[in-house]
């Protein structure tokens, strides 16, 4: 409803300005301050004051007088307040909002027909997912959910680096070391079992006898050459390691959850010939140079000081080369391609975009979402050295801490057998993992995060449990009423708290639209906090069930609308909405 009201307000402003002979290119529509009784406001009078040669307040007053609210269905009246033009909504607006939000799919936008691929996570399959990079699957999965809810046809892709030196080292190490030479795995899980070989291999290459290291390097080079030449036996050797590690990584990621429609392998673009064809096109560019025994692109005239190396002297391609072929494939098969990358990949993203343009591609459909890494208070983490905190560890601790918090808050329901141990476990998982996801996704991606338990699991502050509790409360109220409200008259919802809640509910679809356009799911998290505060104010001040049947049914309808709104907002963020807490 808010989207329709905003459209009508913009049309009313444009019509008024046209009638006054003033330009309509910037209408200045915005949300008013909290102390203003209006749904929308316009600051356009400030912009027009100089051109019109009149005071902003005078222009605002004339705009308000020119608009006939009767011509715009959701506009009740338009008022000038100083230099601002305020738009107040009609009862029809509130009635339609309440009715629309009683649908379980409330907030989902109409299909756009646009095919979007979102590539995220894409961590090298060299071991368990660690906390430092956990922001990628959390943000990426939230973007997938957000774009889907905004009406796009979305696919989630994981780009698998199965052709680089790391995988050649891993394969050599797996085939070289005996399990008896390795320490016990930290978990009985494929990625934890296999990462021991990778760590042992790296340690040997750094510290082993020179002659044996040279022999190992020769075998590693042979594996890389085998991949580049399309040798099927080599693909099978590397594939055993890659698939083993990926199976464990998928299991960890599914706990978040972060699911993928396709795992796209680098070797695909070697085997289908697109990498080789791309290399020939790159060599023909004016920017192509052969320096330091490698083919490179000199991108300095494009403002990029570091060259992009795309072919080694031994004829093997590099990750950026294959990624360029991958991006051309995405541009050919999708209307828009979103890639979630760590901040340390900013240069690479710039090189890829620039090179694609040099190759004649339209890069407008490409979006990159760059994020800073997640740190724990004790500092940054590293998988290669085996000293990091793995995602599994974080999620285990999240569930355990949440269980302790939930048990400490349990009321007599547990003694009445209304909540058994399975319920406690379910709530602990929903709250614990929800707290991790919410704490990560609620921050603007470009800002660094230091994850702190006290903040993430705070039931009283702006956190996942704080918002989840609102959903649980709506479920409790509706369960207690044990009746579905019929057709209601929203006009009986007269208090400021009721109207504020209706207005916040009405803005949910607009929040989805704006966050999807910006590829910024943290805007939805901000909305959920505002929603929770508004609902809690309503709950404190308005008794839902009373002897006034008409008022009780209207308030129950408002609670049902609130339940659907907050459940869908949390779902977009990938956070479960518990029915009880």
């Amino acid at each position: 409803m808010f989207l329709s009201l905003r459209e009508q307000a913009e049309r009313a402003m444009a019509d008024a300005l046209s009638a006054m002979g003033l330009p309509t290119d910037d209408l200045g529509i915005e949300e008013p301050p909290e102390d203003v009784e209006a749904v929308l406001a316009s600051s356009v009078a400030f912009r027009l004051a100089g051109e019109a040669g009149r005071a902003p307040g005078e222009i605002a007053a004339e705009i308000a007088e020119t608009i006939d609210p009767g011509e715009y269905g959701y506009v009740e009246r338009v008022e000038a307040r100083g230099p601002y033009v305020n738009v107040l909504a009609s009862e029809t607006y509130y009635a339609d909002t309440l009715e629309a939000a009683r649908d379980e799919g409330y907030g989902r936008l109409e299909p756009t027909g646009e095919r979007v691929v979102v590539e995220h996570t894409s961590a090298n399959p060299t071991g368990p997912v660690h906390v430092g990079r956990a922001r990628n699957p959390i943000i990426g999965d939230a973007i997938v959910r957000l774009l889907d809810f905004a009406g796009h046809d979305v696919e989630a892709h994981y780009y698998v680096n199965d052709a680089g030196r790391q995988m050649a080292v891993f394969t050599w190490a797996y085939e070289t070391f005996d399990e008896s030479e390795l320490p016990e795995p930290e978990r009985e899980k494929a990625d934890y079992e296999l990462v021991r070989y990778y760590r042992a291999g790296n340690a040997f290459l750094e510290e082993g006898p020179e002659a044996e290291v040279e022999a190992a390097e020769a075998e590693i080079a042979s594996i890389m050459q085998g991949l580049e030449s399309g040798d099927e036996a080599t693909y099978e050797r590397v594939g055993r390691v890659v698939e083993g590690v990926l199976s464990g990584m998928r299991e960890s990621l599914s706990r978040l959850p972060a699911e993928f429609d396709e795992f796209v392998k680098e070797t695909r673009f070697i085997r289908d010939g697109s990498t080789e064809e791309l290399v020939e096109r790159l060599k023909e560019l004016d920017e192509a140079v052969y320096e330091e025994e490698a083919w490179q692109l000199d991108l300095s005239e494009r403002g990029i000081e570091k060259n992009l190396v795309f072919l080694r002297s031994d004829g093997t391609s590099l990750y950026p080369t294959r990624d360029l072929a991958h991006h051309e494939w995405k541009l050919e098969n999708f209307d828009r391609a979103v890639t979630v990358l760590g901040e340390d990949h900013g240069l690479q993203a710039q090189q890829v975009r620039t090179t694609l343009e040099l190759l004649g591609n339209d890069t407008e459909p490409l979006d990159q979402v760059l994020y800073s890494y997640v740190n724990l208070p004790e500092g940054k983490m590293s998988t290669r050295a085996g000293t990091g905190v793995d995602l599994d560890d974080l999620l285990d601790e999240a569930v355990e801490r949440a269980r302790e918090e939930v048990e400490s808050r349990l009321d007599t329901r547990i003694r009445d057998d209304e909540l058994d141990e399975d319920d406690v476990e379910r709530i602990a998982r929903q709250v614990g993992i929800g707290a991790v996801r919410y704490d990560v996704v609620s921050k603007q991606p470009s800002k660094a995060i230091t994850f702190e338990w006290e903040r993430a699991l705070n039931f009283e502050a702006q956190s996942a449990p704080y918002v989840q509790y609102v959903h649980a409360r709506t479920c409790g109220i509706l369960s207690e009423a044990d009746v579905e409200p019929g057709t209601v008259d929203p006009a009986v919802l007269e208090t400021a708290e009721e109207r504020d809640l209706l207005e916040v509910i009405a803005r949910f679809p607009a929040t989805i639209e704006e966050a999807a356009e910006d590829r910024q799911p943290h805007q939805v998290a901000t909305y959920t906090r505002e929603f929770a505060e508004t609902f809690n104010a309503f709950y404190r001040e308005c008794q839902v069930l009373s002897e006034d049947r008409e008022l009780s049914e209207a308030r129950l309808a408002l609670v049902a609308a609130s339940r659907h709104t907050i459940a869908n907002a949390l779902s977009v963020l990938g956070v479960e909405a518990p029915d009880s807490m």
Side-chain angles (χ1 to χ4, degrees):
M1 301 309 111
F2 183 81
L3 292 172
S4 297
L5 175 62
R6 187 174 64 189
E7 179 185 349
Q8 292 172 13
E10 290 172 349
R11 184 154 45 88
M13 289 294 301
D15 291 346
L17 293 175
S18 294
M20 294 165 61
L22 296 172
T24 62
D25 54 319
D26 182 4
L27 301 174
I29 300 290
E30 58 192 40
E31 291 184 24
E34 292 184 3
D35 61 343
V36 175
E37 185 186 354
V39 179
L40 289 168
S42 171
S43 59
V44 69
F46 282 110
R47 178 178 63 82
L48 298 174
E51 184 172 341
R54 290 185 287 163
E58 183 181 341
I59 297 173
E62 184 177 350
I63 292 172
E65 291 172 4
T66 303
I67 294 174
D68 178 6
E71 296 182 13
Y72 312 95
Y74 284 158
V75 178
E76 175 69 21
R77 65 183 189 275
V78 179
E79 299 176 342
R81 179 173 173 178
Y84 292 94
V85 181
N86 296 326
V87 178
L88 287 81
S90 66
E91 286 301 318
T92 304
Y93 171 75
Y94 293 108
D96 288 355
T97 292
L98 187 58
E99 186 61 29
R102 290 171 67 180
D103 184 273
E104 290 186 358
Y106 178 64
R108 181 174 287 277
L109 304 185
E110 292 296 319
T112 64
E114 184 176 61
R115 296 193 65 217
V116 183
V117 59
V118 179
E119 179 203 331
H120 68 86
T121 307
S122 299
N124 290 339
T126 53
V129 182
H130 72 111
V131 175
R133 295 185 182 273
R135 201 172 188 182
N136 197 315
I138 291 174
I139 292 175
D141 184 68
I143 290 175
V144 171
R145 292 166 179 266
L146 173 61
L147 294 178
D148 173 72
F149 209 72
H152 302 297
D153 181 7
V154 187
E155 287 188 22
H157 286 189
Y158 188 120
Y159 186 49
V160 183
N161 179 354
D162 66 333
R165 174 180 163 82
Q166 284 183 311
M167 296 318 303
V169 169
F170 207 151
T171 302
W172 161 77
Y174 179 69
E175 296 173 347
T176 299
F177 293 93
D178 190 272
E179 187 174 6
S180 62
E181 304 175 67
L182 307 174
E184 289 296 312
E186 296 172 16
R187 289 175 185 258
E188 292 184 5
K189 199 158 154 284
D191 46 347
Y192 288 86
E193 293 170 359
L194 289 169
V195 74
R196 298 175 299 161
Y197 294 93
Y198 182 63
R199 290 170 180 165
N202 276 301
F204 181 86
L205 293 174
E206 290 178 359
E207 303 167 4
E210 184 176 348
E212 293 182 29
V213 169
E214 288 181 2
E217 289 289 0
E219 177 59 21
I220 291 166
S222 174
I223 293 171
M224 293 175 66
Q225 287 283 3
L227 290 173
E228 200 74 30
S229 65
D231 179 64
E232 196 63 36
T234 305
Y235 284 129
E236 290 179 4
R237 291 168 63 191
V238 176
R240 281 194 293 270
V241 176
V242 171
E243 289 302 326
V245 177
L246 278 178
S247 67
M249 296 175 77
R250 281 198 294 265
E251 188 178 331
S252 300
L253 292 168
S254 68
R255 298 179 66 188
L256 284 172
E259 305 291 345
F260 297 89
D261 297 293
E262 187 174 351
F263 284 76
V264 180
K265 294 183 176 179
E266 274 188 290
T267 50
R268 170 179 184 164
F269 304 103
I270 296 175
R271 301 178 82 170
D272 68 6
S274 56
T275 299
E276 183 178 2
E277 187 267 342
L278 179 80
V279 165
E280 295 308 311
R281 289 160 57 205
L282 290 172
K283 287 180 178 179
E284 294 175 1
L285 294 175
D286 293 339
E287 291 79 6
V289 295
Y290 188 82
E291 295 179 353
E292 299 178 2
E293 298 186 349
W295 278 97
Q296 309 179 33
L297 290 184
D298 181 352
L299 303 175
S300 57
E301 291 190 5
R302 296 295 189 108
I304 301 174
E305 293 304 318
K306 186 174 181 180
N307 285 5
L308 183 145
V309 181
F310 63 88
L311 192 69
R312 299 183 183 92
S313 59
D314 62 3
T316 56
S317 60
L318 290 89
Y319 178 90
T321 326
R322 301 183 290 271
D323 197 32
L324 285 166
H326 175 216
H327 273 77
E328 289 197 325
W329 173 79
K330 288 195 284 188
L331 288 170
E332 182 179 348
N333 289 278
F334 296 90
D335 301 312
R336 186 155 296 277
V338 181
T339 308
V340 183
L341 295 166
E343 60 186 356
D344 57 339
H345 288 78
L347 173 61
Q348 173 193 321
Q350 190 180 9
Q351 289 176 323
V352 167
R353 179 181 289 272
T354 301
T355 303
L356 287 170
E357 291 169 354
L358 290 172
L359 290 169
N361 294 280
D362 175 14
T363 60
E364 189 280 329
L366 296 182
D367 292 331
Q368 276 102 21
V369 178
L370 298 176
Y371 65 91
S372 295
Y373 291 119
V374 177
N375 299 317
L376 294 180
E378 58 266 27
K380 292 186 177 180
M381 293 144 285
S382 163
T383 48
R384 188 171 182 275
T387 60
V389 177
D390 295 319
L391 177 62
D392 288 311
D393 298 327
L394 180 72
L395 297 183
D396 285 349
E397 186 168 355
V399 174
E400 181 59 34
R401 285 176 178 260
R403 184 187 296 108
E404 293 172 1
E405 186 67 26
V406 169
E407 288 176 343
S408 73
R409 291 172 172 271
L410 285 175
D411 55 24
T412 56
R413 291 176 301 174
I414 190 69
R415 292 193 293 273
D416 293 340
D417 295 326
E418 290 184 25
L419 284 179
D420 58 23
E421 289 304 317
D422 288 341
D423 291 321
V424 173
E425 182 63 28
R426 170 184 55 81
I427 295 170
R429 179 184 55 78
Q430 291 174 321
V431 172
I433 294 179
V436 171
R437 279 196 70 127
Y438 191 91
D439 194 67
V440 170
V441 81
S442 65
K443 310 298 190 303
Q444 191 169 341
S446 59
K447 294 183 178 179
I449 292 179
T450 298
F451 184 85
E452 296 176 348
W453 292 112
E454 291 74 15
R455 180 187 65 235
L457 284 169
N458 191 332
F459 279 63
E460 311 299 333
Q462 295 181 341
S463 62
Y466 176 75
V467 177
Q468 287 173 311
Y469 198 80
V470 168
H471 182 265
R473 178 164 277 163
T474 64
C475 293
I477 294 170
L478 294 169
S479 177
E480 182 183 349
D482 197 28
V483 61
E484 283 291 329
T487 303
V488 300
D489 181 6
V492 303
L493 302 173
E494 298 177 321
T495 69
E497 291 77 16
E498 291 165 325
R499 290 290 156 140
D500 287 346
L501 184 53
L502 268 172
E503 288 176 4
V504 173
I505 290 171
R507 289 210 312 274
F508 179 49
T511 299
I512 293 296
E513 180 184 69
E514 292 165 10
E517 287 178 356
D518 297 338
R519 318 290 192 241
Q520 298 289 334
H522 75 275
Q523 295 174 11
V524 180
T526 300
Y527 171 85
T528 63
R529 293 195 292 270
E530 181 185 353
F531 183 95
E533 291 170 355
T534 308
F535 181 88
N536 287 336
F538 158 77
Y539 182 77
R540 286 193 304 269
E541 301 299 327
C542 302
Q543 181 180 341
V544 177
L545 301 176
S546 68
E547 294 181 1
D548 186 332
R549 183 178 179 83
E550 184 181 28
L551 181 59
S552 293
E553 288 206 350
R555 286 179 172 173
L556 278 174
L558 184 55
V559 172
S562 297
R563 179 181 64 180
H564 295 150
T565 303
I566 197 61
N568 290 338
L570 286 172
S571 177
V572 166
L573 299 174
V575 175
E576 289 194 57
D579 293 339
S580 58
M581 284 178 66

